[in-house]
């Protein structure tokens, strides 16, 4: 991967949407190719265990707050406190990540997250826990995430290099979605069987796996990345870098719109489960499970692909928005439930393609800041949009709320797709091929060549 500034205009999506240096290794299309890299294999296995623990804690934390307060608003406060540090300090976390070595940084952040879970476990198991303890733990976890998230995102490229980056990012998403199928189920068994404290304890202990993996890695096999020197104005430098790169800023804007208005699935799915289909908690659980299945399929398909094209991102966002609008009009519970699979698939395609295209297009010296901005927009969008989405859903109904979210996703994808096409020197071509209509973007020069000389 080039270590230059990369500030040139976005390459034409019709050819390849991420700049690649001449000596970049050829990308492979094997679904599990990045697991051939020993360091990444250790990282991946550690995340398998840790992600299951993370999902266990999410479920147990919400249940414990609800049990202590009987208030859904208190659960919302807990979630907001966990995301607030990313909104406030996310960009500063990216500056730190660019200055620091990734592996030691992750050893510190993962240890801090483990200690937070173990402290909450001790308070819960000794029956001393109060709701403010959970608020503090959620905020502390969010503070660690400010550095941990961009560090983990950018560390992947050091583990596998540019040749396996697309595959590794996709497998990370598949890993997280697999844990989403296992963790909540295990948490449910623990909560009903022995109590929420044990879920916190097991999550704290689960960090032993990623910490061990980090310690066992071979430093000489990491792909060296130049670190940013300490200096003034590095935050502004990172923002200017993104603003000067259409192939970075517009995907981030797109994921911001989708994350804010279309990814609020807790609001949408709970409303459909209770108010539309009257299926209760069972229907809500089924919707989430089927969406997780679709997300897992989407992550594995992304791992199979060898490239991350901006064209794919725009098309996947259009399909995702269209499917939400179709689901909004689904007449039966089972039809709505089955639509959760393709919705999850395209949602994951949007997520993985954005993540990978940004990482592969970014100068390693500013990757931490760029990924911090991406994570701040992506993770911060849902808490900001949730009150808006909730108001629309409460006022006009779940079907209208979901349809509006899908329409916003489609509109954002269409507008940003046209902007990227214009920046990339492309124009819309409409014609026929083998008796079928064909709509695509082609380079402007090619379109001119198709016009016969007068």
């Amino acid at each position: 991967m080039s270590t230059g500034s990369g500030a040139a205009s976005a390459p034409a999506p019709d050819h390849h949407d991420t700049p690649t240096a001449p000596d970049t290794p050829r990308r492979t299309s094997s679904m599990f190719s990045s697991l051939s890299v020993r360091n990444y294999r250790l990282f991946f296995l550690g995340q398998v265990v840790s992600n299951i623990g993370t999902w266990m804690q999410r479920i147990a934390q919400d249940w414990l707050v609800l049990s202590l307060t009987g208030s859904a608003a208190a659960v919302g406060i807990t979630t907001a406190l966990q995301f607030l540090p990313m909104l406030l300090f996310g960009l500063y976390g990216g500056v730190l990540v660019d200055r620091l070595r990734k592996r030691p940084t992750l050893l510190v952040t993962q240890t801090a997250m483990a200690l937070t879970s173990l402290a909450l476990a001790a308070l819960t198991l000794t029956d001393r826990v109060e709701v403010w303890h959970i608020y503090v733990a959620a905020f502390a976890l969010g503070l660690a995430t400010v550095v941990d998230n961009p560090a983990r995102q950018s560390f992947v490229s050091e583990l596998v290099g540019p040749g396996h980056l697309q595959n590794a990012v996709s497998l990370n998403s598949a890993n997280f979605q697999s844990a989403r199928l296992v963790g909540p189920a295990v948490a449910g068994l623990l909560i009903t069987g022995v109590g929420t404290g044990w879920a916190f304890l097991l999550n704290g202990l689960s960090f032993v796996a990623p910490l061990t993996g980090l310690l066992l890695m071979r430093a000489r096999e990491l792909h060296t990345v130049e670190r940013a020197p300490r200096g003034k104005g590095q935050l502004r430098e990172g923002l200017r870098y993104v603003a000067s790169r259409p192939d970075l800023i517009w995907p981030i804007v797109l994921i911001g719109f989708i994350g804010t208005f279309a990814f609020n699935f807790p609001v949408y799915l709970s409303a459909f489960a209770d108010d539309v289909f009257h299926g209760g908690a069972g229907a809500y659980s089924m919707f989430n499970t089927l969406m997780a299945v679709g997300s897992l399929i989407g992550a594995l398909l992304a791992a199979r692909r060898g490239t991350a094209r901006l064209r794919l991102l725009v098309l996947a966002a259009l399909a995702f928005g269209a499917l939400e609008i179709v689901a909004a009009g689904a007449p039966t519970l089972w039809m709505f439930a089955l639509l959760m699979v393709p919705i999850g698939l395209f949602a994951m395609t949007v997520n993985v393609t954005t993540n990978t295209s940004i990482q592969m297009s970014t100068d390693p010296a500013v990757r931490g800041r760029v990924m911090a901005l991406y994570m701040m927009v992506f993770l911060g969008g849902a808490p900001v949009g949730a009150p808006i989405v909730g108001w629309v859903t409460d006022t006009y109904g779940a079907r209208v709320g979901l349809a509006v979210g899908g329409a916003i996703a489609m509109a954002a994808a269409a507008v940003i797709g046209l902007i990227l096409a214009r920046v990339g020197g492309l124009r819309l071509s409409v014609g026929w091929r083998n008796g079928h209509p064909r709509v695509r973007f082609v380079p402007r020069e090619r379109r001119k060549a198709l016009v016969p000389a007068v």
Side-chain angles (χ1 to χ4, degrees):
M1 180 175 290
S2 171
T3 57
S5 64
S9 62
D14 191 58
H15 299 289
H16 195 283
D17 299 313
T18 53
T20 307
D23 58 348
T24 297
R26 179 178 176 268
R27 293 181 180 86
T28 177
S29 60
S30 171
M31 185 175 289
F32 302 102
S33 60
S34 54
L35 291 177
S36 63
V37 180
R38 179 183 181 274
N39 282 345
Y40 178 73
R41 195 161 57 245
L42 290 169
F43 178 83
F44 182 86
L45 292 174
Q47 291 300 305
V48 169
V49 178
S50 182
N51 284 336
I52 292 174
T54 297
W55 278 107
M56 290 168 55
Q57 172 138 338
R58 284 189 182 186
I59 301 300
Q61 176 179 278
D62 291 348
W63 184 260
L64 180 58
V65 171
L66 196 61
S67 301
L68 290 173
T69 66
S71 168
V75 177
I77 292 172
T78 307
T79 302
L81 286 171
Q82 193 162 323
F83 284 103
L84 184 61
M86 180 61 74
L87 288 172
L88 296 177
F89 312 117
L91 292 176
Y92 295 98
V95 172
L96 284 175
V97 167
D98 281 336
R99 292 176 180 174
L100 302 172
R101 288 188 299 160
K102 307 299 185 294
R103 187 163 65 138
T105 301
L106 287 171
L107 285 170
V108 173
T109 57
Q110 295 280 297
T111 300
M113 294 164 80
L115 292 175
T116 300
S117 297
L118 292 174
L120 193 54
L123 289 169
T124 307
L125 291 172
T126 57
D127 292 326
R128 296 178 180 177
V129 68
E130 298 179 23
V131 69
W132 71 268
H133 294 143
I134 307 172
Y135 289 164
V136 171
F139 189 76
L141 190 63
L143 285 174
T145 302
V146 166
V147 177
D148 186 79
N149 262 345
R152 272 191 299 111
Q153 296 285 336
S154 54
F155 187 50
V156 174
S157 64
E158 294 188 25
L159 292 170
V160 301
H164 292 293
L165 184 57
Q166 157 82 9
N167 181 260
V169 171
S170 303
L171 286 183
N172 286 348
S173 298
N175 186 331
F176 189 74
Q177 294 303 323
S178 299
R180 184 180 174 185
L181 294 172
V182 177
V186 176
L189 293 175
L190 288 172
I191 291 170
T192 57
V194 292
T196 54
W198 291 96
F200 299 139
L201 177 61
L202 289 181
N203 180 49
L205 295 176
S206 74
F207 284 96
V208 171
L211 289 171
T212 301
L214 289 167
L215 292 171
L216 291 177
M217 289 177 185
R218 296 169 182 164
R220 65 181 182 275
E221 295 179 7
L222 295 173
H223 293 254
T224 304
V225 172
E226 181 182 355
R227 284 182 285 154
R230 183 183 297 273
K232 294 183 178 180
Q234 289 181 321
L235 178 58
R236 292 192 300 273
E237 178 190 358
L239 293 175
R240 283 196 301 267
Y241 176 84
V242 174
S244 69
R245 295 284 304 276
D247 56 332
L248 297 179
I249 186 64
W250 290 114
I252 291 175
V253 171
L254 177 57
I255 202 68
F257 273 103
I258 294 176
T260 301
F261 298 106
F263 272 11
N264 280 285
F265 296 116
V267 177
Y268 294 137
L269 300 187
S270 60
F272 268 86
D274 284 339
D275 301 333
V276 178
F277 298 120
H278 309 289
Y284 180 64
S285 176
M286 179 177 63
F287 295 158
N288 279 282
T289 300
L290 290 172
M291 183 170 289
V293 170
S295 299
L296 178 58
I297 295 170
L300 292 175
L301 289 175
R304 183 67 177 82
R305 288 189 296 269
T307 57
R309 297 178 182 271
L310 295 181
R311 179 175 57 193
L312 174 63
L313 169 61
V314 172
L315 292 175
L318 285 169
F320 169 74
L323 282 167
E324 284 203 333
I325 294 174
V326 172
T332 65
L333 183 149
W334 288 106
M335 184 177 294
F336 182 85
L338 290 176
L339 284 168
M340 291 302 101
V341 176
I343 285 175
L345 188 155
F346 283 105
M348 182 53 60
T349 302
V350 169
N351 186 0
V352 172
T353 306
T354 307
N355 188 317
T356 310
S357 65
I358 289 173
Q359 289 207 51
M360 294 176 71
S361 301
T362 302
D363 182 349
V366 296
R367 185 173 287 142
R369 280 164 282 180
V370 174
M371 293 310 297
L373 177 62
Y374 162 72
M375 296 304 296
M376 185 179 72
V377 171
F378 182 55
L379 294 179
V384 171
I388 302 172
V389 169
W391 176 81
V392 172
T393 301
D394 288 341
T395 305
Y396 300 102
R399 295 189 185 277
V400 173
L402 183 58
V404 168
I408 291 175
M410 287 191 71
V415 172
I416 290 172
L418 290 173
I419 292 173
L420 288 171
R422 185 173 181 82
V423 170
L426 303 179
R427 288 186 177 181
L428 187 67
S429 173
V430 181
W432 290 82
R433 183 175 182 179
N434 298 328
H436 298 285
R438 189 181 190 189
V439 181
R440 58 179 179 149
F441 286 103
V442 299
R444 291 174 184 173
E445 294 78 7
R446 183 175 176 182
R447 181 180 175 87
K448 292 176 182 178
L450 294 177
V451 179
V454 178

